[in-house]
Amino acid sequence: QVQLVESGGGLVQAGGSLRLSCVASGRTFSTLAMGWFRQGPGKEREFVAAISRSGSNTYYGDSVKGRFTISRDNAKNTVVLQMNSLKPEDTAVYYCAAEGRRPALAMSRNETPDYWGQGTQVTVSS
């Protein structure tokens, strides 16, 4: 069973930056496509970013393109979401996700990944 543990959420002013990390265990990390989703108050779950197993392909939701960057370190079993130029509408619980079978592209289509973290709160004040 894959376990995902997120860290790095918090409160930040609009225009600021936050860095979310997710550490995976329970399976060889390089066999997992990784991604981030979010759910804001009263909103549906939204795809944020995904990265392929090798790290060579990345995908982003339209609302975060140019502001967020996803990366991974297969030696450290870690995926990172660097969030810059944050806006109040980025306020949400952010979930790390892992996909064991399908490509990372599947997450960009909002297909439900195999594994989820517990979530970390990101709050952006205006």
Side-chain angles (χ1 to χ4, degrees), residues 41-111:
K43 298 181 180 180
E44 293 186 351
R45 185 186 73 196
E46 178 186 12
F47 166 74
V48 176
I51 188 166
S52 63
R53 289 166 175 81
S54 66
S56 58
N57 294 310
T58 56
Y59 308 90
Y60 296 94
D62 289 341
S63 61
V64 306
K65 281 180 182 175
R67 300 188 298 122
F68 291 11
T69 303
I70 188 170
S71 61
R72 66 187 294 159
D73 186 336
N74 285 352
K76 297 182 178 179
N77 295 352
T78 300
V79 61
V80 171
L81 185 68
Q82 178 66 43
M83 305 185 294
N84 298 329
S85 303
L86 283 161
K87 306 174 181 180
E89 51 263 43
D90 293 318
T91 295
V93 178
Y94 283 69
Y95 297 92
C96 179
E99 170 55 50
R101 300 161 292 142
R102 292 165 291 181
L105 181 64
M107 284 188 270
S108 72
R109 295 171 177 164
N110 222 17
E111 294 179 25

Side-chain angles (χ1 to χ4, degrees), residues 3 13 28 52 64 84 106 116 125:
Q3 293 184 326
Q13 288 189 331
T28 302
S52 63
V64 306
N84 298 329
W116 293 94
S125 63

